[in-house]
Amino acid sequence: MCGIIGFAGREEAAPILLDGLARMEYRGYDSAGIAVRSNQWGLQAKKSRGRLERLYELTHGGKDLDGPLGIGHTRWATHGEPNDCNAHPHISEDGRIALVHNGIIENYMEIKEKLIREGVRFASETDTEVAVQLLAYYYKQCGSMLEAVGKVLHRIEGSYAFGIICADYPNALIAARKDSPLILGFGEKGNFIASDVTAILKYTRDVIYMEDGEIAVITADSIDVFDQEFTPIEKKVNKIEWDVSAAEKGGYAHFMFKEILEQPEAIRKTIAPRIRDGKIIFDNFLITPEELKNLSRIYIIACGSAYHVGAICKYTWEKLLRRPVEVCLASEFRYSDPLVDKNTLAIIISQSGETLDSMAALREAKRLGARTLAIVNVVGSSIAREADQVLYTWAGPEIAVATTKAYSTQLILMDLIGLYLGDLLNTISKEDYQIILRQIETLPEKMRACLSKLDDAQYLASRHFNHNSIFFIGRNLDYAMGLEGSLKLKEISYIHSEAYASGELKHGTISLIEPGTLVIALGTYHALFDKAMSNVVEVKARGAEVLAITTESYRERMEKIADDTISVPDVHPILQPSLGIIPLQLFAYYVALQRGCDIDKPRNLAKSVTVE
Ligand code: F6R
């Protein structure tokens, strides 16, 4: 999705803006631009469709735009096709104001028509241009940029994070936010605005999270935040703990590959602070044991891969808690008139903490009285701040669009919470609690063992990268894991792929199996291994080629039927998907590599989906 950076400092802004935009490339974009205020030339802007390299070339690495104050943007088209003209920053007709925007201005048509009647000429098809033209219109009337910004914010409807510079204000950058993330950063050589912390991590770790309705004025030496009536607000400065190198490729060909390899460490960091003296500890957990007993419903709500974590937890939590657990897609939950009351626990899982549908679902659950718990990776993100309680995954920055380490840390954190709640409810024996907990602690090592067998996945990918369609089949936890395996494959390799509950094959899907069809059969769930084998036999009888994933102890049996078998270490069944997913991630990665796909930035996808 779109990215914003802004800099007010004591050195040239353009190279810093370009660097910040490059660090947000992973979010997905189709055009980019920067605007800088120069003492000599006033506002100068350069924009271009396509990759950032073009903008680098156009500006000679930023050297063509001089001045220490500027804004930059990567756009993901919503209103108007991706072209130079629709790219941000947008400039007012008189050339004195430049503005970048994330979000959507819903009443832009009505305002645009009014401004056209007033004689304003528009250069683009975007909703954003309305904001800058309206700002220029008010600015002409009142002569104060801040007052004009206030008027614009009152007039527009929708969501926004704005960065604004004006030719008449050589030192100040203005920012405003509503329903679209924006942070302010204190740097040594100047101060920043950014929609994503990775854009400015190289320059600062001290940030302020802007809240909805706030306006900020940023200069090289100060950051002042106000409410919409311009009353100053005292803001807390937060320290970002992320390691800069974690957001860099560090010699790897792709972020996705690096992040797959980082999983053992990521889950270790997520687990370690929560286990003390053989017990799971969540300080001040939002539900007391008494309240837990009265819970009528648990919802797990999320999108995409995070939803697939929920799909696994439906099986594991119902075993651990002996309570019904509903898993909902956030985009469906928000419109489904959900059965939520004060005895409902709604758990929102989101890596970015900014996914619009998940955010809307969280607000809906809160409005209906639920207790809300967020499982989030990005510290200080919107979902993290709005939920009653947040538990962070400690995956570090995830840059590849296709999630791997965030997924794994979400899963392990949910395992820990499930076990913790099962213990509080006494629905799991002390003995099982200890067995599972001890096995959780062995997972990083076992994951490393899975990752040491890269070659198997690589070899199988080299044999199978030419398929047009691939099916994943499995039962129970294997089915839920297959949903994620299939999503990984399709999103980065563009091969059509679906995951089916094996028992459903006979109810229709089996008609798709023909000689040569590749079926990835998941047989890591021991309780249903014999059934999984029957399904393998069934698809083989129709000519399918079968690549099986199973555990070491079942490998021999699987090898007798499947064409190829990859095995992962055995672990408690509840935890098995944490290991089973590794070969599926690797297979997807190597298939995409063979097909020459843009692995870290798959077509049409964005890292954080902040529109509906
Ligand atoms: C797939 C993927 C997406 C995200 C989904 C939710 O690899 O990354 O399906 O899982 O867009 O994003 P978050 O977790 O940021 O809410």
Side-chain angles (χ1 to χ4, degrees):
M1 291 275 114
C2 306
I4 287 180
I5 177 152
F7 177 66
R10 288 177 285 280
E11 60 180 56
E12 292 300 302
I16 292 176
L17 299 176
L18 288 171
D19 179 66
L21 292 182
R23 288 167 194 278
M24 286 188 289
E25 265 194 302
Y26 76 98
R27 296 171 65 96
Y29 68 104
D30 47 46
S31 51
I34 55 174
V36 174
R37 187 195 174 281
S38 141
N39 279 334
Q40 198 177 353
W41 310 107
L43 290 189
Q44 297 175 286
K46 288 274 189 236
K47 322 195 270 187
S48 101
R49 189 206 153 122
R51 293 285 191 217
L52 263 179
E53 288 87 67
R54 269 198 68 203
L55 192 62
Y56 268 92
E57 283 163 21
L58 264 178
T59 60
H60 296 97
K63 287 196 199 88
D64 290 0
L65 308 183
D66 68 302
L69 179 74
I71 47 179
H73 191 264
T74 42
R75 172 173 189 251
W76 203 75
T78 55
H79 294 60
E81 63 175 280
N83 60 26
D84 294 2
C85 193
N86 289 332
H88 302 208
H90 287 283
I91 314 283
S92 58
E93 200 187 353
D94 62 7
R96 302 207 69 71
I97 306 172
L99 173 148
V100 287
H101 167 221
N102 285 358
I104 291 179
I105 298 171
E106 283 157 9
N107 59 342
Y108 81 103
M109 257 321 205
E110 169 208 331
I111 301 174
K112 187 168 180 173
E113 280 162 12
K114 182 178 178 300
L115 289 171
I116 289 173
R117 282 199 298 277
E118 298 282 337
V120 176
R121 276 172 306 173
F122 280 78
S124 78
E125 303 154 273
T126 61
D127 54 331
T128 299
E129 194 189 349
V130 163
V132 75
Q133 303 291 17
L134 186 65
L135 183 57
Y137 176 82
Y138 286 139
Y139 180 50
K140 253 184 227 138
Q141 285 179 350
C142 68
S144 151
M145 183 46 73
L146 264 189
E147 193 181 329
V149 168
K151 284 185 174 191
V152 169
L153 301 185
H154 276 110
R155 181 72 178 81
I156 59 174
E157 288 161 18
S159 56
Y160 52 77
F162 285 131
I164 302 163
I165 55 173
C166 173
D168 304 334
Y169 291 78
N171 305 319
L173 169 60
I174 298 176
R177 145 177 189 153
K178 179 174 166 264
D179 290 339
S180 191
L182 202 59
I183 57 171
L184 311 171
F186 294 90
E188 267 178 25
K189 294 177 178 148
N191 295 327
F192 294 86
I193 65 168
S195 54
D196 184 328
V197 70
T198 52
I200 58 173
L201 206 51
K202 180 174 157 191
Y203 306 99
T204 179
R205 284 163 180 283
D206 298 324
V207 303
I208 287 175
Y209 298 110
M210 284 187 80
E211 300 290 343
D212 283 352
E214 290 179 350
I215 302 166
V217 178
I218 300 98
T219 69
D221 306 306
S222 62
I223 294 183
D224 294 299
V225 183
F226 306 93
D227 66 14
Q228 289 213 354
E229 271 61 57
F230 294 103
T231 312
I233 302 174
E234 202 61 47
K235 296 287 291 185
K236 178 174 164 232
V237 179
N238 302 271
K239 244 272 162 302
I240 302 288
E241 303 293 345
W242 280 358
D243 178 5
V244 187
S245 66
E248 288 171 354
K249 244 189 246 170
Y252 290 91
H254 298 99
F255 276 111
M256 183 179 175
F257 187 61
K258 177 174 176 254
E259 289 162 5
I260 289 175
L261 299 184
E262 281 171 355
Q263 290 180 104
E265 186 54 15
I267 65 161
R268 194 197 59 75
K269 282 189 176 150
T270 303
I271 298 166
R274 279 132 182 170
I275 303 180
R276 258 176 264 151
D277 305 325
K279 286 246 7 125
I280 301 169
I281 310 288
F282 288 112
D283 293 326
N284 305 317
F285 197 75
L286 84 165
I287 305 183
T288 63
E290 215 33 60
E291 288 169 331
L292 187 59
K293 284 189 190 107
N294 293 329
L295 274 190
S296 57
R297 220 170 261 268
I298 298 174
Y299 278 108
I300 301 176
I301 308 163
C303 303
S305 296
Y307 168 79
H308 295 156
V309 170
I312 288 181
C313 293
K314 160 129 187 107
Y315 293 108
T316 53
W317 279 40
E318 286 189 348
K319 273 196 178 61
L320 293 169
L321 308 187
R322 308 310 301 157
R323 293 275 185 295
V325 175
E326 293 205 33
V327 188
C328 294
L329 291 164
S331 52
E332 291 293 320
F333 178 87
R334 58 187 294 200
Y335 299 120
S336 65
D337 196 6
L339 297 172
V340 171
D341 60 21
K342 65 178 179 32
N343 291 325
T344 303
L345 171 64
I347 302 178
I348 317 292
I349 308 180
S350 174
Q351 184 283 130
S352 61
E354 301 294 350
T355 302
L356 187 119
D357 281 321
S358 304
M359 182 72 199
L362 165 67
R363 287 182 178 163
E364 178 65 359
K366 274 185 99 165
R367 189 184 69 79
L368 295 169
R371 314 288 290 276
T372 55
L373 171 64
I375 306 298
V376 173
N377 192 45
V378 178
V379 174
S381 56
S382 306
I383 291 175
R385 282 178 294 135
E386 282 201 25
D388 295 326
Q389 185 172 28
V390 57
L391 293 175
Y392 286 111
T393 50
W394 298 114
E398 189 177 65
I399 308 295
V401 164
T403 180
T404 52
K405 60 175 180 171
Y407 168 87
S408 290
T409 52
Q410 287 163 352
L411 191 53
I412 198 65
L413 181 52
M414 287 296 283
D415 286 337
L416 277 180
I417 302 169
L419 201 53
Y420 172 81
L421 295 179
D423 184 44
L424 287 189
L425 278 169
N426 269 323
T427 44
I428 164 166
S429 70
K430 298 283 169 226
E431 199 191 355
D432 283 346
Y433 174 91
Q434 280 307 327
I435 290 172
I436 299 174
L437 189 54
R438 276 201 296 274
Q439 299 224 0
I440 285 179
E441 290 180 296
T442 68
L443 274 181
E445 218 32 63
K446 288 186 168 139
M447 253 188 188
R448 268 186 205 105
C450 299
L451 288 165
S452 69
K453 293 192 197 157
L454 290 175
D455 298 356
D456 293 353
Q458 193 169 15
Y459 165 69
L460 290 168
S462 72
R463 279 189 31 215
H464 292 299
F465 70 93
N466 264 333
H467 284 273
N468 291 325
S469 201
I470 298 179
F471 298 101
F472 289 72
I473 59 169
R475 288 171 184 265
N476 198 278
L477 288 171
D478 281 330
Y479 164 53
M481 180 175 84
L483 293 171
E484 176 59 7
S486 165
L487 179 64
K488 281 289 87 73
L489 182 70
K490 74 183 107 180
E491 68 182 331
I492 60 167
S493 74
Y494 315 142
I495 295 177
H496 167 256
S497 129
E498 301 296 336
Y500 296 106
S502 311
E504 276 294 289
L505 280 176
K506 287 200 208 57
H507 300 286
T509 314
I510 202 156
S511 67
L512 293 169
I513 308 292
E514 53 184 10
T517 304
L518 180 64
V519 173
I520 300 188
L522 308 170
T524 71
Y525 186 58
H526 294 176
L528 294 174
F529 184 80
D530 290 338
K531 304 250 178 239
M533 291 282 272
S534 310
N535 294 123
V536 172
V537 172
E538 219 165 62
V539 293
K540 288 256 352 143
R542 271 116 191 133
E545 204 171 331
V546 174
L547 159 54
I549 312 288
T550 187
T551 67
E552 272 151 18
S553 59
Y554 282 67
R555 183 180 180 111
E556 229 178 283
R557 287 183 62 193
M558 187 58 99
E559 273 176 337
K560 290 197 177 115
I561 319 180
D563 296 281
D564 294 288
T565 304
I566 296 183
S567 55
V568 297
D570 289 83
V571 70
H572 190 280
I574 281 180
L575 309 174
Q576 202 68 63
S578 285
L579 300 182
I581 195 62
I582 306 271
L584 301 183
Q585 294 169 339
L586 288 168
F587 181 74
Y589 173 77
Y590 284 120
V591 166
L593 193 64
Q594 290 276 349
R595 291 166 71 93
C597 299
D598 189 351
I599 293 181
D600 284 339
K601 297 187 275 289
R603 69 183 178 210
N604 307 335
L605 290 176
K607 183 66 182 164
S608 119
V609 184
T610 49
V611 292
E612 192 169 356

PDB file of all heavy atoms in Angstrom, residues 85-107:
ATOM      1  N   CYS A  85       1.183  11.371 -13.785  1.00  0.00           N
ATOM      2  CA  CYS A  85       0.317  12.467 -13.369  1.00  0.00           C
ATOM      3  C   CYS A  85      -0.432  12.165 -12.060  1.00  0.00           C
ATOM      4  O   CYS A  85      -0.576  13.029 -11.186  1.00  0.00           O
ATOM      5  CB  CYS A  85      -0.651  12.672 -14.514  1.00  0.00           C
ATOM      6  SG  CYS A  85      -1.514  14.140 -14.380  1.00  0.00           S
ATOM      7  N   ASN A  86      -0.892  10.905 -11.945  1.00  0.00           N
ATOM      8  CA  ASN A  86      -1.646  10.553 -10.735  1.00  0.00           C
ATOM      9  C   ASN A  86      -0.737  10.251  -9.538  1.00  0.00           C
ATOM     10  O   ASN A  86      -1.212  10.124  -8.410  1.00  0.00           O
ATOM     11  CB  ASN A  86      -2.534   9.333 -11.013  1.00  0.00           C
ATOM     12  CG  ASN A  86      -3.697   9.687 -11.935  1.00  0.00           C
ATOM     13  OD1 ASN A  86      -4.139  10.842 -11.953  1.00  0.00           O
ATOM     14  ND2 ASN A  86      -4.172   8.728 -12.709  1.00  0.00           N
ATOM     15  N   ALA A  87       0.567  10.107  -9.810  1.00  0.00           N
ATOM     16  CA  ALA A  87       1.491   9.846  -8.699  1.00  0.00           C
ATOM     17  C   ALA A  87       1.533  11.061  -7.758  1.00  0.00           C
ATOM     18  O   ALA A  87       1.256  12.189  -8.173  1.00  0.00           O
ATOM     19  CB  ALA A  87       2.884   9.563  -9.257  1.00  0.00           C
ATOM     20  N   HIS A  88       1.882  10.820  -6.500  1.00  0.00           N
ATOM     21  CA  HIS A  88       2.046  11.908  -5.526  1.00  0.00           C
ATOM     22  C   HIS A  88       3.506  12.333  -5.539  1.00  0.00           C
ATOM     23  O   HIS A  88       4.343  11.541  -5.957  1.00  0.00           O
ATOM     24  CB  HIS A  88       1.694  11.435  -4.115  1.00  0.00           C
ATOM     25  CG  HIS A  88       0.322  10.900  -3.957  1.00  0.00           C
ATOM     26  ND1 HIS A  88      -0.377  10.949  -2.774  1.00  0.00           N
ATOM     27  CD2 HIS A  88      -0.514  10.272  -4.824  1.00  0.00           C
ATOM     28  CE1 HIS A  88      -1.556  10.377  -2.920  1.00  0.00           C
ATOM     29  NE2 HIS A  88      -1.656   9.951  -4.156  1.00  0.00           N
ATOM     30  N   PRO A  89       3.894  13.457  -5.039  1.00  0.00           N
ATOM     31  CA  PRO A  89       3.068  14.494  -4.430  1.00  0.00           C
ATOM     32  C   PRO A  89       2.203  15.217  -5.471  1.00  0.00           C
ATOM     33  O   PRO A  89       2.585  15.330  -6.627  1.00  0.00           O
ATOM     34  CB  PRO A  89       4.097  15.460  -3.840  1.00  0.00           C
ATOM     35  CG  PRO A  89       5.385  14.701  -3.800  1.00  0.00           C
ATOM     36  CD  PRO A  89       5.329  13.706  -4.885  1.00  0.00           C
ATOM     37  N   HIS A  90       1.066  15.695  -4.982  1.00  0.00           N
ATOM     38  CA  HIS A  90       0.229  16.557  -5.830  1.00  0.00           C
ATOM     39  C   HIS A  90       0.520  18.003  -5.449  1.00  0.00           C
ATOM     40  O   HIS A  90       0.782  18.316  -4.282  1.00  0.00           O
ATOM     41  CB  HIS A  90      -1.239  16.203  -5.645  1.00  0.00           C
ATOM     42  CG  HIS A  90      -1.549  14.892  -6.299  1.00  0.00           C
ATOM     43  ND1 HIS A  90      -1.705  14.768  -7.657  1.00  0.00           N
ATOM     44  CD2 HIS A  90      -1.647  13.645  -5.785  1.00  0.00           C
ATOM     45  CE1 HIS A  90      -1.905  13.500  -7.960  1.00  0.00           C
ATOM     46  NE2 HIS A  90      -1.877  12.793  -6.835  1.00  0.00           N
ATOM     47  N   ILE A  91       0.486  18.840  -6.481  1.00  0.00           N
ATOM     48  CA  ILE A  91       0.880  20.239  -6.293  1.00  0.00           C
ATOM     49  C   ILE A  91      -0.335  21.116  -6.583  1.00  0.00           C
ATOM     50  O   ILE A  91      -1.073  20.851  -7.542  1.00  0.00           O
ATOM     51  CB  ILE A  91       2.013  20.630  -7.295  1.00  0.00           C
ATOM     52  CG1 ILE A  91       3.103  19.543  -7.322  1.00  0.00           C
ATOM     53  CG2 ILE A  91       2.571  22.015  -7.004  1.00  0.00           C
ATOM     54  CD1 ILE A  91       4.054  19.527  -6.164  1.00  0.00           C
ATOM     55  N   SER A  92      -0.522  22.132  -5.762  1.00  0.00           N
ATOM     56  CA  SER A  92      -1.655  23.038  -5.996  1.00  0.00           C
ATOM     57  C   SER A  92      -1.439  23.777  -7.322  1.00  0.00           C
ATOM     58  O   SER A  92      -0.312  23.908  -7.793  1.00  0.00           O
ATOM     59  CB  SER A  92      -1.778  24.030  -4.841  1.00  0.00           C
ATOM     60  OG  SER A  92      -0.561  24.744  -4.720  1.00  0.00           O
ATOM     61  N   GLU A  93      -2.536  24.257  -7.875  1.00  0.00           N
ATOM     62  CA  GLU A  93      -2.476  24.880  -9.205  1.00  0.00           C
ATOM     63  C   GLU A  93      -1.478  26.043  -9.244  1.00  0.00           C
ATOM     64  O   GLU A  93      -0.783  26.250 -10.231  1.00  0.00           O
ATOM     65  CB  GLU A  93      -3.883  25.368  -9.578  1.00  0.00           C
ATOM     66  CG  GLU A  93      -4.044  25.579 -11.061  1.00  0.00           C
ATOM     67  CD  GLU A  93      -5.386  26.222 -11.389  1.00  0.00           C
ATOM     68  OE1 GLU A  93      -6.239  26.379 -10.487  1.00  0.00           O
ATOM     69  OE2 GLU A  93      -5.553  26.604 -12.553  1.00  0.00           O
ATOM     70  N   ASP A  94      -1.369  26.769  -8.118  1.00  0.00           N
ATOM     71  CA  ASP A  94      -0.441  27.901  -8.098  1.00  0.00           C
ATOM     72  C   ASP A  94       1.002  27.470  -7.813  1.00  0.00           C
ATOM     73  O   ASP A  94       1.905  28.297  -7.710  1.00  0.00           O
ATOM     74  CB  ASP A  94      -0.885  28.950  -7.065  1.00  0.00           C
ATOM     75  CG  ASP A  94      -0.891  28.393  -5.645  1.00  0.00           C
ATOM     76  OD1 ASP A  94      -0.420  27.249  -5.440  1.00  0.00           O
ATOM     77  OD2 ASP A  94      -1.361  29.090  -4.720  1.00  0.00           O
ATOM     78  N   GLY A  95       1.216  26.185  -7.646  1.00  0.00           N
ATOM     79  CA  GLY A  95       2.576  25.648  -7.471  1.00  0.00           C
ATOM     80  C   GLY A  95       3.180  25.918  -6.103  1.00  0.00           C
ATOM     81  O   GLY A  95       4.360  25.668  -5.890  1.00  0.00           O
ATOM     82  N   ARG A  96       2.383  26.336  -5.113  1.00  0.00           N
ATOM     83  CA  ARG A  96       2.984  26.731  -3.833  1.00  0.00           C
ATOM     84  C   ARG A  96       2.850  25.675  -2.730  1.00  0.00           C
ATOM     85  O   ARG A  96       3.494  25.756  -1.702  1.00  0.00           O
ATOM     86  CB  ARG A  96       2.366  28.066  -3.355  1.00  0.00           C
ATOM     87  CG  ARG A  96       2.559  29.170  -4.398  1.00  0.00           C
ATOM     88  CD  ARG A  96       2.591  30.534  -3.801  1.00  0.00           C
ATOM     89  NE  ARG A  96       3.758  30.835  -2.988  1.00  0.00           N
ATOM     90  CZ  ARG A  96       4.992  31.018  -3.446  1.00  0.00           C
ATOM     91  NH1 ARG A  96       5.248  30.868  -4.722  1.00  0.00           N
ATOM     92  NH2 ARG A  96       5.973  31.345  -2.631  1.00  0.00           N
ATOM     93  N   ILE A  97       1.986  24.683  -2.965  1.00  0.00           N
ATOM     94  CA  ILE A  97       1.806  23.662  -1.922  1.00  0.00           C
ATOM     95  C   ILE A  97       1.956  22.268  -2.541  1.00  0.00           C
ATOM     96  O   ILE A  97       1.430  22.013  -3.631  1.00  0.00           O
ATOM     97  CB  ILE A  97       0.405  23.765  -1.269  1.00  0.00           C
ATOM     98  CG1 ILE A  97       0.158  25.176  -0.745  1.00  0.00           C
ATOM     99  CG2 ILE A  97       0.243  22.745  -0.143  1.00  0.00           C
ATOM    100  CD1 ILE A  97      -1.265  25.417  -0.274  1.00  0.00           C
ATOM    101  N   ALA A  98       2.681  21.396  -1.829  1.00  0.00           N
ATOM    102  CA  ALA A  98       2.795  19.997  -2.278  1.00  0.00           C
ATOM    103  C   ALA A  98       2.282  19.096  -1.163  1.00  0.00           C
ATOM    104  O   ALA A  98       2.492  19.391   0.023  1.00  0.00           O
ATOM    105  CB  ALA A  98       4.249  19.660  -2.587  1.00  0.00           C
ATOM    106  N   LEU A  99       1.607  18.027  -1.557  1.00  0.00           N
ATOM    107  CA  LEU A  99       0.972  17.171  -0.536  1.00  0.00           C
ATOM    108  C   LEU A  99       1.051  15.698  -0.937  1.00  0.00           C
ATOM    109  O   LEU A  99       0.906  15.358  -2.116  1.00  0.00           O
ATOM    110  CB  LEU A  99      -0.484  17.630  -0.402  1.00  0.00           C
ATOM    111  CG  LEU A  99      -1.456  16.845   0.456  1.00  0.00           C
ATOM    112  CD1 LEU A  99      -2.493  17.829   1.074  1.00  0.00           C
ATOM    113  CD2 LEU A  99      -2.213  15.811  -0.359  1.00  0.00           C
ATOM    114  N   VAL A 100       1.336  14.851   0.031  1.00  0.00           N
ATOM    115  CA  VAL A 100       1.236  13.403  -0.169  1.00  0.00           C
ATOM    116  C   VAL A 100       0.154  12.870   0.766  1.00  0.00           C
ATOM    117  O   VAL A 100      -0.095  13.438   1.832  1.00  0.00           O
ATOM    118  CB  VAL A 100       2.571  12.673   0.118  1.00  0.00           C
ATOM    119  CG1 VAL A 100       3.587  12.938  -0.977  1.00  0.00           C
ATOM    120  CG2 VAL A 100       3.143  13.041   1.486  1.00  0.00           C
ATOM    121  N   HIS A 101      -0.480  11.785   0.339  1.00  0.00           N
ATOM    122  CA  HIS A 101      -1.661  11.309   1.061  1.00  0.00           C
ATOM    123  C   HIS A 101      -1.742   9.788   1.012  1.00  0.00           C
ATOM    124  O   HIS A 101      -1.562   9.198  -0.050  1.00  0.00           O
ATOM    125  CB  HIS A 101      -2.901  11.932   0.370  1.00  0.00           C
ATOM    126  CG  HIS A 101      -4.218  11.337   0.774  1.00  0.00           C
ATOM    127  ND1 HIS A 101      -5.224  11.083  -0.137  1.00  0.00           N
ATOM    128  CD2 HIS A 101      -4.711  10.957   1.981  1.00  0.00           C
ATOM    129  CE1 HIS A 101      -6.273  10.579   0.493  1.00  0.00           C
ATOM    130  NE2 HIS A 101      -5.981  10.493   1.767  1.00  0.00           N
ATOM    131  N   ASN A 102      -2.004   9.159   2.142  1.00  0.00           N
ATOM    132  CA  ASN A 102      -2.431   7.755   2.183  1.00  0.00           C
ATOM    133  C   ASN A 102      -3.875   7.756   2.672  1.00  0.00           C
ATOM    134  O   ASN A 102      -4.216   8.505   3.599  1.00  0.00           O
ATOM    135  CB  ASN A 102      -1.590   6.943   3.185  1.00  0.00           C
ATOM    136  CG  ASN A 102      -0.214   6.635   2.650  1.00  0.00           C
ATOM    137  OD1 ASN A 102       0.112   6.982   1.517  1.00  0.00           O
ATOM    138  ND2 ASN A 102       0.596   5.986   3.484  1.00  0.00           N
ATOM    139  N   GLY A 103      -4.695   6.892   2.094  1.00  0.00           N
ATOM    140  CA  GLY A 103      -6.091   6.828   2.500  1.00  0.00           C
ATOM    141  C   GLY A 103      -6.993   7.157   1.327  1.00  0.00           C
ATOM    142  O   GLY A 103      -6.554   7.191   0.173  1.00  0.00           O
ATOM    143  N   ILE A 104      -8.249   7.410   1.628  1.00  0.00           N
ATOM    144  CA  ILE A 104      -9.207   7.723   0.559  1.00  0.00           C
ATOM    145  C   ILE A 104     -10.094   8.880   1.013  1.00  0.00           C
ATOM    146  O   ILE A 104     -10.636   8.869   2.124  1.00  0.00           O
ATOM    147  CB  ILE A 104     -10.090   6.495   0.233  1.00  0.00           C
ATOM    148  CG1 ILE A 104      -9.220   5.410  -0.429  1.00  0.00           C
ATOM    149  CG2 ILE A 104     -11.256   6.872  -0.681  1.00  0.00           C
ATOM    150  CD1 ILE A 104      -9.928   4.146  -0.779  1.00  0.00           C
ATOM    151  N   ILE A 105     -10.214   9.891   0.139  1.00  0.00           N
ATOM    152  CA  ILE A 105     -11.122  11.008   0.455  1.00  0.00           C
ATOM    153  C   ILE A 105     -12.469  10.672  -0.189  1.00  0.00           C
ATOM    154  O   ILE A 105     -12.604  10.643  -1.422  1.00  0.00           O
ATOM    155  CB  ILE A 105     -10.552  12.337  -0.072  1.00  0.00           C
ATOM    156  CG1 ILE A 105      -9.217  12.589   0.634  1.00  0.00           C
ATOM    157  CG2 ILE A 105     -11.539  13.483   0.174  1.00  0.00           C
ATOM    158  CD1 ILE A 105      -8.437  13.739   0.086  1.00  0.00           C
ATOM    159  N   GLU A 106     -13.439  10.361   0.658  1.00  0.00           N
ATOM    160  CA  GLU A 106     -14.682   9.809   0.123  1.00  0.00           C
ATOM    161  C   GLU A 106     -15.543  10.852  -0.572  1.00  0.00           C
ATOM    162  O   GLU A 106     -16.215  10.550  -1.557  1.00  0.00           O
ATOM    163  CB  GLU A 106     -15.471   9.130   1.251  1.00  0.00           C
ATOM    164  CG  GLU A 106     -14.870   7.763   1.579  1.00  0.00           C
ATOM    165  CD  GLU A 106     -15.196   7.268   2.959  1.00  0.00           C
ATOM    166  OE1 GLU A 106     -16.038   7.890   3.652  1.00  0.00           O
ATOM    167  OE2 GLU A 106     -14.579   6.254   3.372  1.00  0.00           O
ATOM    168  N   ASN A 107     -15.541  12.089  -0.080  1.00  0.00           N
ATOM    169  CA  ASN A 107     -16.398  13.112  -0.702  1.00  0.00           C
ATOM    170  C   ASN A 107     -15.617  13.975  -1.699  1.00  0.00           C
ATOM    171  O   ASN A 107     -15.916  15.147  -1.878  1.00  0.00           O
ATOM    172  CB  ASN A 107     -17.049  13.986   0.377  1.00  0.00           C
ATOM    173  CG  ASN A 107     -16.033  14.685   1.263  1.00  0.00           C
ATOM    174  OD1 ASN A 107     -14.865  14.280   1.300  1.00  0.00           O
ATOM    175  ND2 ASN A 107     -16.450  15.722   1.963  1.00  0.00           N
TER     176      ASN A 107
END
